[in-house]
Amino acid sequence: MLRKVVLFLAVCAFVFSSGFANFAKAKTVVKVGVDTTFPPFEMEEYGKVVGFDVDMVNAISKVEGFKVEWHTMDFQGLIPALQTGTIQMAVAGMTITPQRAKVVYFSKPYYHSGLSILVKKGSSVKDLADLKGKTVAVKLGTTADIMLSKMKGIKLERFTNINDAYNQLQNSGAQAVVFDNPVNLNYQRTHKNVQVVGKLLTGENYGIAVSKKDPKLLKIVNDGLEKILKNGTYLKIYRKYFGDNDAGLITK
Ligand code: GLN
């Protein structure tokens, strides 16, 4: 009888401990918001979220030991979703700005960027001053929208999806698109009738946004970013998407 009881207890202990071990091993899941209309940082391919930002966050999650659950949404929806807690983190080529930093945390910069002007080849528009009196297409709520909204004499057309802004340029409904230069360059690569003109209009840094409710997660993200910058993973991912164009590269 005693032997049976001991055996029973031993089995119970085994079941509980292995159950506990499994629980401990189960990784924390972090809900990450992503805007899949920002190639080559985020896009959707065959129903999968891919791109530079996606590889980078996956690499961070690997060194820090958490699991990522991707939540695709419009760029405009990301900060509100962080505030309500629908997501804990957002990666979307999001420019670090003082206004946004009031409502979300930002990681250390992970990419140097800036805005540029995209026009049809042969256009008379060569720089910012030439946009006066023209119709310009932008993506709603982005830094391009914010910057051009402050300028007088430009007719702005705002689109939720940047592809609609590019189409507007193609249809001659707009004479220019102002948007993040790496995305404009990506579009130019595949559409030979357009080109980026003039100098960059701004200097911007992209950061991973984290909910203000989660300062611990911000620490983890920054720690992971530092680790992948040091161990060469960041550089490998950078080269995969941007080749030898070092304009956006962060080194530390
Ligand atoms: N970098 C721009 C911004 O933060 C655009 C980002 C995006 O469209 N995903 O406003």
Side-chain angles (χ1 to χ4, degrees):
M1 178 63 189
L2 185 66
R3 270 176 69 185
K4 271 191 185 155
V5 170
V6 169
L7 189 68
F8 175 74
L9 289 176
V11 169
C12 283
F14 177 76
V15 169
F16 274 116
S17 66
S18 60
F20 180 73
N22 276 341
F23 176 76
K25 251 190 265 161
K27 289 182 181 169
T28 313
V29 176
V30 179
K31 293 178 183 155
V32 184
V34 67
D35 157 26
T36 51
T37 63
F38 200 70
F41 296 87
E42 293 103 29
M43 53 254 178
E44 215 170 287
E45 268 173 17
Y46 308 108
K48 253 192 102 185
V49 179
V50 297
F52 173 81
D53 284 359
V54 177
D55 284 4
M56 180 187 67
V57 167
N58 279 336
I60 292 173
S61 77
K62 214 166 146 195
V63 293
E64 295 296 330
F66 63 85
K67 252 187 99 170
V68 175
E69 189 181 289
W70 295 103
H71 289 247
T72 299
M73 50 186 81
D74 287 342
F75 183 71
Q76 274 286 84
L78 290 169
I79 290 184
L82 282 167
Q83 290 176 300
T84 56
T86 312
I87 53 172
Q88 293 149 281
M89 195 167 129
V91 69
M94 193 185 287
T95 302
I96 303 171
T97 70
Q99 288 78 8
R100 291 174 181 164
K102 281 185 195 153
V103 287
V104 295
Y105 289 130
F106 277 110
S107 71
K108 284 178 248 173
Y110 70 82
Y111 189 96
H112 292 305
S113 189
L115 300 176
S116 66
I117 305 170
L118 187 80
V119 294
K120 274 196 184 163
K121 278 185 181 159
S123 163
S124 63
V125 173
K126 303 269 182 273
D127 58 29
L128 191 61
D130 297 334
L131 294 179
K132 280 242 155 96
K134 302 278 188 312
T135 303
V136 181
V138 293
K139 180 169 159 184
L140 185 72
T142 60
T143 44
D145 182 8
I146 297 164
M147 178 185 175
L148 295 193
S149 294
K150 289 180 191 146
M151 291 177 58
K152 289 204 178 86
I154 296 176
K155 187 172 175 279
L156 268 194
E157 290 204 6
R158 302 177 176 89
F159 298 91
T160 309
N161 187 324
I162 192 62
N163 289 327
D164 295 331
Y166 290 138
N167 287 339
Q168 193 70 349
L169 172 67
Q170 294 288 11
N171 305 333
S172 303
Q175 285 84 57
V177 170
V178 173
F179 200 45
D180 297 54
N181 189 48
V183 182
N184 276 344
L185 289 179
N186 188 68
Y187 186 81
Q188 173 187 281
R189 208 167 37 80
T190 48
H191 298 79
K192 300 293 172 207
N193 65 330
V194 298
Q195 64 179 4
V196 167
V197 289
K199 289 194 201 110
L200 287 191
L201 309 180
T202 56
E204 305 185 5
N205 280 320
Y206 296 160
I208 300 169
V210 175
S211 159
K212 284 248 171 168
K213 294 186 191 112
D214 219 336
K216 219 173 106 195
L217 182 60
L218 176 69
K219 268 196 161 169
I220 292 169
V221 167
N222 275 331
D223 185 73
L225 189 56
E226 207 177 308
K227 279 185 185 143
I228 65 164
L229 277 164
K230 275 203 185 121
N231 72 13
T233 309
Y234 170 93
L235 191 63
K236 225 169 111 189
I237 299 170
Y238 186 95
R239 295 278 175 246
K240 176 176 161 191
Y241 290 96
F242 304 106
D244 55 10
N245 177 357
D246 281 353
L249 193 68
I250 299 278
T251 48
K252 60 177 177 347

